[in-house]
């Protein structure tokens, strides 16, 4: 990390910490919370999709499992929401290991892996719709009980800091991963799995680790969602909407980069918000923009916004990956 | 409860629904077989076809079965343009990019429909919608029987097209060896777009056959897209006979599973079959090795 990057990062962090002081509007704080939450989950997707090259179309499986794990235990046994974070991470991670074990054990790659993750999310959605303890199609309401110990804040600022913490933690995890041996192995698998195996990389264990970490981080995203909105249902938790939004954030931001998902989340949600401001609050409008953005990014900027920023930061024309 | 008098009609109903699944899956498997891509927009294109048939009936008074003549060429054109203008260009030849681009296309199409047509579920009331036909002990709604017969006929036509015409030969050549096909003078990009167009035309036909017995909404494609993937994977990616057989099996499984264990189980069974096939036999019944 150069001096300049360190200074810029520090400045952004200070601004982020002070944001709730300057922004009094609940609307804009809520907007920032959404950006931070999806940045954190986009980062989780990026560890599996960007670094390891395994595209998941069903991250809702982890998001929903984290959300339901903490909510069900909170309602039934009075589990403290802060402890719920660990439970959600464990639940999401376990689901990741389970799906990963089955898929990678049988050598599914590429499109097949994308399809099976989607199918798993759909199975979980149907199960959540039928099972009794998930509240079925009606969903679950978490009881209102304001207090920091209960992770319920009077204003949005409290939630903002929790979401900021999640985003920072996920950036830290990605940053550490990129510099670790596992990160190098994952990159090798992404570039050429057979060659990586021939060189002695335990590709199965590495991919399993990636999906486990990714699942745990996404489960934590579900944990935050449940305690922030105090409501979940099968469509929110396991529907394709979440899976797609998480994937979009990572793709638009830039695959396999530390800051990509954060940039992607900012760009995506700003574009969606702008679309609604300009053309009215019609359902589906922001999603039209998301879809166009996805196609355009794959067509014109396959390395995402992070690639654009990197080129702009280094005009001398170095082309190697940072 | 499991009397043949109940089971047989359920099985026949399953077969007729399965024929429509097969028709949707035939398009998907053709696109996979030639382009080696998984078309995520397939369900949304079916939705476009259903809206087309709906408005032709509502505004123009054109019977859905008659609208087949308009929908098949229209969706062929849409598919051709989509592959030639958007998917082929944006994907840079990478499988995962194709997946993303078709996903993006499907998001755009679905939400455009939501924007213009709202989320309302619409149905038509065709005069023959509730006419019943007796087959052995079962009474089957006429539209289902028509769909069954037409789906089989279209599958046969598709097979003829692939086996007997120059276009079919060119498509098969490109599917097997695109470099070689290019060398002998086949316009590969054109063949790609033709294949995608024919695949989409299948969905147009399916839409016309489906409308008298189903509903339209912007998200109706979701009902079919995973089912179609299941059928394609079950039958073997790229195999026509597999898609036909797979469609019928899935239709019957859904119908009987739903009857015996409840409706949710019918849906669940499809996905469980899907996962099991992907894990244990990703080549399906008739497929080659997965890439």
């Amino acid at each position: 990390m150069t001096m300049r990057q360190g200074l810029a990062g520090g400045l952004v962090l200070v601004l982020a910490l002070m944001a709730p002081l300057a922004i009094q509007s609940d609307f804009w704080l809520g907007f920032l919370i959404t950006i931070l939450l999806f940045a954190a989950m986009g980062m989780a997707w990026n560890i599996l999709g960007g670094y390891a090259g395994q595209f998941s179309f069903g991250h809702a499986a982890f998001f929903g499992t984290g959300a339901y794990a903490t909510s069900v235990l909170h309602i039934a046994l009075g589990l403290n929401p802060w402890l719920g974070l660990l439970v959600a991470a464990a639940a999401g991670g376990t689901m990741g290991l389970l799906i990963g074990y089955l898929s990678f054990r049988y050598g599914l790659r590429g499109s097949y892996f994308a399809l099976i993750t989607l199918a798993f999310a759909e199975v979980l959605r149907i199960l959540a719709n039928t099972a009794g303890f998930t509240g079925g199609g009606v969903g679950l309401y978490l009881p209102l009980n304001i207090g920091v110990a209960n992770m319920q804040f009077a204003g949005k600022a409290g939630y903002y800091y929790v979401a900021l913490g999640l985003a920072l933690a996920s950036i830290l995890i990605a940053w550490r991963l990129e510099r670790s041996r596992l990160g190098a192995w994952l990159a090798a698998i992404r570039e050429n799995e057979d060659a990586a195996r021939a060189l002695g990389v335990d590709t199965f264990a590495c991919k399993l680790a990636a999906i486990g970490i990714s699942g745990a981080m996404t489960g934590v995203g579900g944990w935050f969602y449940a305690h922030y909105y105090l409501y979940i249902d099968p469509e929110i938790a396991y529907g394709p909407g979440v899976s797609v939004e998480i994937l979009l954030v990572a793709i638009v931001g830039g695959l396999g980069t530390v800051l990509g998902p954060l940039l992607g989340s900012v760009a995506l949600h700003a574009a969606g918000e702008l679309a609604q401001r300009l053309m009215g609050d019609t359902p589906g409008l922001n999603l039209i923009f998301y879809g166009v953005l996805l196609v355009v990014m794959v067509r014109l900027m396959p390395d995402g916004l992070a690639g654009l920023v990197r080129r702009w930061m280094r005009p001398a024309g170095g082309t190697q990956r940072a | 409860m499991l009397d043949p008098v109940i089971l047989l009609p359920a099985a026949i109903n399953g077969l007729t629904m399965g024929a429509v699944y097969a028709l949707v899956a035939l398009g998907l498997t053709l696109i996979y077989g030639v382009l080696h891509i998984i078309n995520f927009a397939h369900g949304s294109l079916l939705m476009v076809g259903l809206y087309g048939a709906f408005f032709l009936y509502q505004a123009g008074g054109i019977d859905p079965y008659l609208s087949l003549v308009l929908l098949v060429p229209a969706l062929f054109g849409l598919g051709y343009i989509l592959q030639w203008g958007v998917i082929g260009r944006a994907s840079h030849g990478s499988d995962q990019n194709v997946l993303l681009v078709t996903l993006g296309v499907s998001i755009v199409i679905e939400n455009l429909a939501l924007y213009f047509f709202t989320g309302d579920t619409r149905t038509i009331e065709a005069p023959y919608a509730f006419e019943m036909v007796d087959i052995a002990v079962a009474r089957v709604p006429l539209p289902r029987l028509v769909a069954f017969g037409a789906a089989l006929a279209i599958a046969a036509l598709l097979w003829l097209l692939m086996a007997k015409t120059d276009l079919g030969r060119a498509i098969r050549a490109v599917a097997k060896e695109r470099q070689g096909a290019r060398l002998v003078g086949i316009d590969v990009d054109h063949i790609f777009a033709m294949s995608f167009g024919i695949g989409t035309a299948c969905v147009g036909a399916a839409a016309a056959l489906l409308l008298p017995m189903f509903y339209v909404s912007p998200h109706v494609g979701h009902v079919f897209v995973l089912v179609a993937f299941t059928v394609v994977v079950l039958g073997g990616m790229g195999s026509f006979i597999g898609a036909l057989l797979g469609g019928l099996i899935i239709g019957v499984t859904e119908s009987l599973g739903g009857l015996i264990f409840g409706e949710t189980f019918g849906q669940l069974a499809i996905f469980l079959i899907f996962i099991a096939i992907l894990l244990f036999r990703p080549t399906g019944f008739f497929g080659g090795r997965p890439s």
Side-chain angles (χ1 to χ4, degrees):
Chain A
M1 201 192 294
T2 64
M3 185 88 160
R4 204 173 98 189
Q5 282 170 325
L7 271 175
L11 191 66
V12 170
L13 185 61
V14 170
L15 281 177
L17 283 171
M18 290 179 15
L21 301 177
I23 301 168
Q24 298 295 332
S25 141
D26 266 2
F27 174 82
W28 286 111
L29 270 183
F31 180 66
L32 290 179
I33 290 171
T34 307
I35 287 178
L36 290 169
L37 173 64
F38 276 92
M41 292 197 290
M43 199 71 72
W45 192 92
N46 201 20
I47 286 175
L48 183 64
Y51 290 103
Q54 312 294 316
F55 282 25
S56 151
F57 273 36
H59 255 52
F62 314 134
F63 174 84
T65 302
Y68 270 115
T70 187
S71 306
V72 168
L73 290 177
H74 179 63
I75 293 170
L77 304 176
L79 173 77
N80 182 283
W82 296 108
L83 283 176
L85 187 150
L86 299 178
V87 173
T94 309
M95 186 56 74
L97 291 177
L98 184 77
I99 294 176
Y101 180 83
L102 286 171
S103 314
F104 298 140
R105 165 82 181 70
Y106 291 96
L108 294 186
R109 294 184 191 180
S111 315
Y112 287 87
F113 178 69
L115 284 179
I116 205 163
T117 51
L118 180 68
F120 271 112
E122 281 296 296
V123 166
L124 290 169
R125 186 177 64 79
I126 295 172
L127 288 178
N129 239 325
T130 14
F133 66 92
T134 58
V138 183
L140 287 177
Y141 290 89
L142 279 71
L144 188 69
N145 182 11
I146 291 176
V148 175
N150 203 32
M151 203 201 139
Q152 291 190 14
F153 308 100
K156 295 232 175 194
Y159 293 105
Y160 172 84
Y161 284 115
V162 177
L164 184 64
L166 293 186
L168 287 177
S170 65
I171 288 173
L172 200 66
I173 292 171
W175 188 74
R176 293 278 304 173
L177 183 82
E178 201 174 88
R179 277 150 190 78
S180 72
R181 188 164 284 228
L182 177 62
W185 281 334
L186 291 179
I189 291 170
R190 174 188 64 209
E191 298 303 332
N192 189 335
E193 185 165 345
D194 296 323
R197 186 180 303 130
L199 288 172
V201 176
D202 186 346
T203 56
F204 177 67
C206 287
K207 288 196 288 185
L208 211 54
I211 198 172
I213 296 170
S214 184
M217 288 166 69
T218 313
V220 171
W223 162 81
F224 178 81
Y225 187 98
H227 291 291
Y228 175 49
Y229 288 104
L230 297 177
Y231 174 74
I232 49 164
D233 69 21
E235 193 56 40
I236 295 172
Y238 288 121
V242 180
S243 299
V244 168
E245 199 162 338
I246 293 175
L247 165 157
L248 272 171
V249 160
I251 303 273
V252 169
L255 287 175
T257 57
V258 170
L259 289 178
L262 181 62
L263 295 174
S265 189
V266 171
L268 200 68
H269 292 104
E273 192 53 44
L274 194 68
Q276 292 202 323
R277 296 258 148 163
L278 290 178
M279 297 167 73
D281 195 11
T282 324
L285 201 64
N286 54 346
L287 289 168
I288 298 176
F289 267 73
Y290 290 1
V292 171
L293 206 59
L294 178 58
V295 175
V296 170
M297 289 304 291
V298 175
R299 167 85 177 89
L300 300 177
M301 273 188 265
D303 45 358
L305 290 176
L308 196 71
V309 171
R310 200 180 306 129
R311 254 171 284 158
W312 172 71
M313 296 264 278
R314 202 184 300 134
T319 47
Q320 82 273 29
R321 296 183 81 92
Chain B
M1 177 201 167
L2 299 182
D3 203 276
V5 179
I6 303 172
L7 279 185
L8 197 64
I12 291 179
N13 269 331
L15 273 181
T16 55
M17 198 62 197
V20 178
Y21 289 156
L23 203 50
V24 179
L26 276 174
L28 199 61
T29 209
L30 172 69
I31 293 171
Y32 179 84
V34 179
L35 284 83
H36 303 291
I37 64 172
I38 287 181
N39 175 21
F40 246 88
H42 208 62
S44 333
L45 291 165
L46 176 70
M47 181 267 294
V48 171
L50 281 167
Y51 270 108
F54 176 81
F55 285 115
L56 281 173
Y57 181 81
Q58 203 78 336
I62 300 172
D63 187 275
Y65 296 136
L66 215 58
S67 67
L68 203 76
V69 188
L70 294 170
L71 282 177
V72 169
L75 274 149
F76 170 80
L78 181 63
Y80 189 100
I81 293 168
L82 212 55
Q83 162 62 25
W84 183 78
V86 180
I87 298 170
R89 282 162 199 243
S91 53
H92 304 289
S94 133
D95 282 4
Q96 292 185 328
N97 283 348
V98 172
L99 218 56
L100 294 174
V101 171
T102 54
L103 176 70
V105 167
S106 79
I107 295 173
V108 172
I109 295 177
E110 265 172 37
N111 289 288
L112 279 174
L114 188 64
Y115 184 70
F116 286 112
F117 307 142
T118 74
D120 296 348
T121 297
R122 299 158 198 244
T123 49
I124 62 165
E125 280 165 27
Y128 45 76
F130 297 105
E131 236 165 84
M132 299 297 233
V133 180
D134 288 312
I135 302 175
V137 294
R139 287 172 72 80
V140 185
L142 182 66
R144 283 176 174 264
L145 216 57
V146 174
F148 183 72
L152 293 185
I154 291 167
L157 276 179
L158 208 58
W159 179 81
L160 272 179
L161 175 85
M162 292 298 283
K164 302 288 174 199
T165 65
D166 281 347
L167 175 65
R169 267 185 277 274
I171 290 177
R172 280 184 291 140
V174 171
K176 271 225 158 58
E177 178 53 61
R178 42 184 91 161
Q179 286 307 328
R182 206 188 294 274
L183 283 175
V184 298
I186 296 174
D187 181 350
V188 173
D189 289 331
H190 169 69
I191 292 296
F192 276 178
M194 285 299 279
S195 311
F196 202 95
I198 296 171
T200 317
C202 289
V203 166
L209 297 171
L210 201 56
L211 189 67
M213 58 187 197
F214 215 72
Y215 62 89
V216 203
S217 80
H219 297 302
V220 67
H222 289 190
V223 180
F224 288 90
V225 75
L226 267 175
V227 176
F229 281 133
T230 310
V231 170
V232 167
V233 171
L234 182 66
M237 294 259 196
S239 158
F240 283 162
I241 304 171
L244 205 56
L245 208 64
L248 298 178
I249 290 175
I250 291 294
V252 174
T253 308
E254 182 185 34
S255 175
L256 289 185
L259 179 74
I260 299 169
F261 301 106
E263 199 181 328
T264 323
F265 184 82
Q267 298 168 17
L268 204 58
I270 293 179
F271 296 126
L272 293 178
I273 290 177
F274 185 50
I275 290 171
I277 292 281
L278 273 180
L279 291 179
F280 301 115
R281 194 175 162 76
T283 51
F285 298 149
F286 299 100
R289 278 187 57 76
S291 51

